[in-house]
Amino acid sequence: MKLRILFALLLLFTVSLGAQNLGNLDFVNSLGDREAATYGDAVTFFMLMENRAPGGFEANVAALDRLKITTGIRAAENTLLDRGMLALMVSRYLKIEDSLLYLISGSGRYAFRACAEQGIMDSDASEWDVISGEGLIEVMAKVSAMKEAEK
């Protein structure tokens, strides 16, 4: 619960103020209650991180493909999100390049390891573990903080 409130406040500060913020807060709150996040949830979150208003799933994926975040990931909107898939998106978004095996393979397995080394994800988990809604919020809060530190 505290994590959702913290992220909601962070979202308010990083996303421009407007009528869409109430929808964004509803998205985060409903996501926090879910046992499993989906690929569509991650896509929506990355749109918010890019300060873009989320649209339809296909439009969101197309926008993130242009940013090289979702390139090559062909999953349906309701596909359960595993840590490897999320780590691949996070690694591309943050441009993590200090993992040789990730740079060579470009796979979710080594993206997960790179994210674990950066402290973004728990190294005790597996890249095949499905991530909960609250887990997605936690990871994205860390990603947001790292992205802000780059500025």
Side-chain angles (χ1 to χ4, degrees):
M1 183 68 172
K2 289 180 186 178
L3 183 60
R4 281 189 275 169
I5 293 170
L6 175 66
F7 186 76
L9 290 174
L10 181 63
L11 191 62
L12 281 174
F13 291 117
T14 59
V15 177
S16 62
L17 293 175
Q20 70 182 12
N21 280 342
L22 294 177
N24 296 347
L25 290 175
D26 287 341
F27 167 73
V28 172
N29 281 329
S30 67
L31 182 61
D33 295 330
R34 299 207 346 245
E35 289 184 31
T38 65
Y39 177 61
D41 296 330
V43 167
T44 300
F45 237 119
F46 277 99
M47 289 296 289
L48 296 174
M49 297 289 283
E50 282 294 305
N51 290 325
R52 296 178 183 215
F57 175 72
E58 295 298 327
N60 291 344
V61 169
L64 294 177
D65 274 351
R66 285 190 294 277
L67 297 171
K68 307 285 191 243
I69 296 171
T70 57
T71 305
I73 302 173
R74 296 295 161 238
E77 181 177 10
N78 60 353
T79 301
L80 293 180
L81 184 67
D82 63 49
R83 291 180 181 276
M85 188 184 309
L86 178 59
L88 193 56
M89 296 169 74
V90 167
S91 296
R92 292 171 177 172
Y93 180 70
L94 293 176
K95 296 177 178 55
I96 295 175
E97 297 181 348
D98 58 351
S99 171
L100 182 61
L101 291 174
Y102 167 65
L103 291 175
I104 291 171
S105 71
S107 72
R109 175 185 181 100
Y110 294 110
F112 171 76
R113 289 183 181 188
C115 285
E117 288 173 13
Q118 297 281 327
I120 300 168
M121 294 186 177
D122 185 11
S123 62
D124 292 339
S126 164
E127 72 270 13
W128 298 109
D129 291 343
V130 172
I131 194 162
S132 68
E134 192 167 350
L136 176 58
I137 293 169
E138 182 181 328
V139 168
M140 295 306 285
K142 290 177 184 177
V143 169
S144 177
M146 292 179 82
K147 195 68 169 181
E148 285 297 316
E150 288 178 2
K151 292 182 179 181

